[in-house]
Amino acid sequence: MINPAYKDKMVVVEGSYAVAHSAKTCHPNVISAYPITPQTHIVENLAQFIADGEIPNCEYLNVESEFSAISSLIGAAAVGARTYSATTSQGLLLMHEALFNASGMRFPIIMTIANRAVSAPINIWNDHQDSISQRDTGWIQLYVEDVQEASDTLPQIYKIAEDNEIMLPGMVCMDGFILSHVYEPVVLLEQNLVDNFLPSFHPENMLDPEDPKTFGAFATPDTYEEFRYLQEQAMQKALPKIEAVAKEFEEVFGRFHGGLVDGYMIEDAEIVIMSMGSVLGTVKDVVDQYRAKGEKIGVLKVRSFRPFPKEQIIESIQNAHAVVVLDKNISIGTNEGALFSETKSCLYNSKVRIPLVGYTLGHGGRDIRIESIVKVIEGTKAAAKAGIMVESQFLDLKEELL
Amino acid sequence: MTKVAPKMYLSSGHSGCAGCCDAFAAKFTLMGAGPNCIVVNPTGCLEVMSTPFPLSSWKVPWIHSLFENGGAVASGVEAALKALGKKNDTKVIAIGGDGSTMDIGIGAISGAFERGHDFTYICMDNEAYMNTGIQRSSGTPYDASTTTSPAGKFSFGNPRPKKNMPAIIAAHGSPYVATTSIGFPRDMIRKVKKAIEIVGPTYIHTHSPCTTGWGFDTSKTLEIAKLAVETGLWPMYDMEYGEITQVRRIKDPKPVEEYLRTQKRFKHLFTMEGGEEEIQKIQDTADWNIKHYGLK
């Protein structure tokens, strides 16, 4: 819904343009990218900004692979540059090895992921399998619901990632095509406001001939474990920081998309639907229909998947009669999506005892329709009354294709 | 006149083998480059032996990221220095082994040369994956026995000649490509100095005999390096924009047998039936080099 306060400032642009514009206002020093659908429009727009001289003190590298995109940003960040890239799907998978490396060396590299399914079979449409498969790489992962949030989250994630106590890389995950290629009204970030909100980047450690330092040394069993521990500590420090930065953003820009999580009609909700990304828009529409009938259905949007906000999730769903988790991904061999598995796991040692069911859906861009969400809600209502019949399942399978 | 020893930017005390070729290569590189440089070092013996956390032998800023991304990391270092207005006279140097350069990292290096970054890539070619235990690479010469191309009843060892990496780099339009050898420190230092002063992507391929992997006494590293050059098996030249501008001449080329005999990796050529013919094939390679590069 359009906030009347912004109506005058709003322009209708493609999601990718809004994100590229946002990246521009964050003043990156090195942008490195490789084309892959549906991310390309972001880096095309950035290339045009560079061609028009609109991003000062910035080098744009047309690299020969996504692997080199992330690798060149590792080199750039080591010299103290603010860095940016965008990718998706196979490109993100090709980066996998270097993602661990960027986090291990504590470089706050930022990327936008235009989430897309992975091959085989090859498919260019949206699901979350690409970024969910990177969940253990030590990157902050924020999932956004709409174009405005995709744009607004970039300066936020820079501020979180570059905090001296955190120093971790981060990805803003937006649904490919559904958000990257949609035209909708947004407020393009104002440069003066971003300048107020996001300080320039001055890392404590960098490659400098005046003060030579060694990066990426070899660690034996005597020293290795502590590096992992410190990464985990940094991730834990990111939890309150994500909340704080979302509030600071609201103070400066007047918009709030949630901190770690965001509830919708959740206070008195008996059935809570949890999910991440653009599907939340459809879910909220369905919830509105139920609310109009007087049924207490609510929504919990999970914005931060890494770090995983255990406490906030438990607190948000503890009074529900049943919870259903929608995942656009699957960990094959568990029959579960990642958000479902992790939510279930964080409840185990808590005092909260409520039925939790999961659906894995929308794979390879399959449309998630209102009727499907209704089916999910009805199934969850049944689980609340009579207990769980099926713990986790695929939604909208076409039996005739099996 | 008193001679002052050049300052060393790679400290001793690293865990390289006695007679380690990588230590020579890194030392000569830094003797040419001086302190105002940033070194990118893909995975390999040099990285492992010089940086056991929390120790480091490097007196210049140094980064190791991964095995196959030296070219890309160096690109990013150079781009960032430019963007931040810190490039000035700081030189960006990547230094990797034959595996990371000629095999797994060739894509990233090709990209960096094609994009024209101002940096120097140095390949320390010891002709196999030594850090993982002497496995064959595309730098392994014909008939060398390695752990993954062993000589045996039906094999003389590696069945293929070395990949011509300098020619591949030259094909990118690089302003300066040179081959050198750790057996000729002054030649190598001169070439490093020349390469880093040229704006644009430059390349030095330095032949680096490995005492452990090749099987020779630790005191013989430089001697064997020299023999490779003196037989014509390792031609040393300067190349500018793809044209050879200078070669190191060898007046009386030694027979390749003198070189091959010094190393265990070629031992089978002297014991196996048919070994003589194989040695002749290697001699033919040296003769071709001598003619092709005008070494005499």
Side-chain angles (χ1 to χ4, degrees), chain A residues 29-30 57 59 61-64 67-68 71-72 74-76 78-81 97-98 101 105 206-209 212-218 223 227, chain B residues 35-38 47-48 51-53 56 59-66 68-69 72-73 76-77 79-81 83-84 86 90 107-108 111 115 117:
Chain A
N29 304 115
V30 179
N57 307 319
E59 292 284 317
L61 305 185
N62 273 304
V63 286
E64 78 293 343
F67 184 75
S68 280
S71 296
S72 58
I74 288 170
V79 182
E97 182 193 13
N101 193 251
M105 277 200 268
M206 59 179 117
L207 295 170
D208 176 8
K213 285 177 179 156
T214 287
F215 279 68
F218 153 72
T223 56
F227 283 90
Chain B
N36 192 7
C37 66
I38 294 175
E47 159 262 326
V48 172
T51 66
F53 182 83
S56 175
K59 294 183 184 175
V60 294
W62 177 96
I63 182 169
H64 158 251
S65 172
L66 299 166
E68 69 278 42
N69 68 359
V73 174
V77 168
L81 288 174
L84 297 167
K86 297 199 284 197
T90 300
R115 290 190 297 274
H117 292 280

Side-chain angles (χ1 to χ4, degrees), chain A residues 74-146:
Chain A
I74 288 170
V79 182
R82 178 172 285 165
T83 55
Y84 181 76
S85 188
T87 191
T88 174
S89 184
Q90 308 308 122
L92 185 58
L93 302 196
L94 188 59
M95 290 181 178
H96 183 68
E97 182 193 13
L99 296 181
F100 280 100
N101 193 251
S103 177
M105 277 200 268
R106 311 292 294 275
F107 295 135
I109 296 164
I110 299 303
M111 293 201 289
T112 296
I113 310 302
N115 286 112
R116 167 186 147 182
V118 301
S119 182
I122 190 164
N123 171 297
I124 59 168
W125 293 275
N126 166 248
D127 66 32
H128 292 167
Q129 197 67 50
D130 51 358
S131 55
I132 288 293
S133 301
Q134 314 309 320
R135 61 179 154 169
D136 297 333
T137 56
W139 282 58
I140 294 166
Q141 288 193 340
L142 302 181
Y143 287 77
V144 302
E145 186 180 345
D146 56 29

